[in-house]
Amino acid sequence: AAGGADLYYVHADSVYDNRPVVLKSGELVLGEGVTQTITVQGVSQQLQLPRATNGANRPIFENTVGPAVTLANNNLFAGFDINNTQGTAVLGSGITGSKIRDVDINGTVGAGAHGVELQNSSGVITLENVNVTGTQGNAFYVTGGDAAVVYNSGTINNNSGFAVLLENNAGSVNMSGVSVVHSGDDWRHAHPPCNREMMCHLERNERLVSWLQPEKGTTLIGVSLTFAQQLSWLLIMIVRIYCVRLFV
C-alpha cells in the first residue's frame, strides 16, 4: 500500500461480536465482499485485491459496547456492516483525513450513540456509499474542527435524534449525493425562536425539517432536498429574517 501503510483484509462472512476496532494512523482495513482496490507505489492505477474466500457477505461488527470503530489519521475503512452498537458506530476524534467507504450502519443504542461522528477533525474526510439506519443518537454528526467533509453517496434513514447535525465546524460539509429520510419528532433550534407561536406550525410538521440541523457557522454544500424539505427550510429562514428585523 502507499506509504508503507498496514493493510488488513478481513474475510467475508466474518462476524465479530463486541470486538471494537481502534485504528492506527495510515492503516487500511478492508472487508471482503465488495470490490476493493488499493494504491500501490510505482503503479499508475488502482489495483484490485483478489478474493480470499468464497464468502458472499461483508464482515460484520455487532453488539459492540462503546465505539465500534475508532479512526485515526489517514485511514481507509471499507466494506463492513456495523449492527446494534451500544455506542457510536464510527468515531473520528481529532483526526486528519480518512475515508469511509461501503459501510452500512444498522442501529445504535443510546442517546449519545451516533452513526458517524466526527469531532474536531481536519483535512479531507470522505464518506462514500455509507448508509445509516436507526440510530438513537444522530445519524451523521460533525462537531468542531475545520475538516472538509465530502459525503459522496449513501442513505440516511433515521427516526430518533437528528439525521444530520453540524455544529461549530469551521470547514465545510458537502452532502450532494446523500438521500435523507427522517421520521423523528424532535426538532430543536440552536437559538430560541423570537416568537414561539410563529414557529408552532413548523414544529407540528417537524418531520419535514428536523433531519437537518446546521449550527454556528458550519458551511453546508450541495445537499439535495425534496420539495417539501425545501419549502420547510425556506419557511424557517423567512421566520429567522423576520425575527431579526423585529428585534435587532
Side-chain angles (χ1 to χ4, degrees), residues 58 103-106 129-133 151 153-157:
R58 294 187 296 196
V103 172
D104 284 0
I105 297 168
N106 303 295
N129 193 27
V130 176
N131 304 300
V132 185
T133 303
Y151 198 157
S153 57
T155 300
I156 294 174
N157 193 330

Side-chain angles (χ1 to χ4, degrees), residues 180-213:
V180 180
V181 178
H182 185 71
S183 57
D185 58 2
D186 181 32
W187 179 59
R188 293 182 300 274
H189 191 267
H191 308 287
C194 59
N195 186 329
R196 189 73 176 178
E197 288 69 33
M198 291 170 63
M199 302 296 287
C200 66
H201 68 290
L202 292 178
E203 292 183 4
R204 285 197 296 268
N205 293 281
E206 61 244 351
R207 294 184 182 208
L208 300 177
V209 300
S210 62
W211 67 271
L212 177 61
Q213 181 73 351

Side-chain angles (χ1 to χ4, degrees), residues 64-98:
T64 307
V65 178
V69 177
T70 302
L71 301 174
N73 299 331
N74 301 312
N75 293 140
L76 171 59
F77 179 78
F80 293 90
D81 290 349
I82 304 175
N83 300 334
N84 303 317
T85 62
Q86 297 182 44
T88 292
V90 180
L91 172 65
S93 180
I95 66 172
T96 299
S98 274

Side-chain angles (χ1 to χ4, degrees), residues 14 19-20 23 33 47 49 73 99 108 114 144 149 156 158 166 190 192 202 208 213 217 226 229 237:
S14 300
R19 296 284 298 275
L23 278 67
L47 294 185
L49 294 179
N73 299 331
K99 184 173 185 177
T108 65
H114 310 299
V149 181
I156 294 174
N158 210 44
L166 315 172
L202 292 178
L208 300 177
Q213 181 73 351
T226 66
Q229 289 166 339
M237 295 308 296

Side-chain angles (χ1 to χ4, degrees), residues 223-242:
V223 176
S224 299
L225 307 181
T226 66
F227 175 76
Q229 289 166 339
Q230 291 177 16
L231 179 60
S232 297
W233 207 228
L234 177 61
L235 289 172
I236 291 174
M237 295 308 296
I238 291 172
V239 169
R240 288 183 184 173
I241 293 169
Y242 184 61

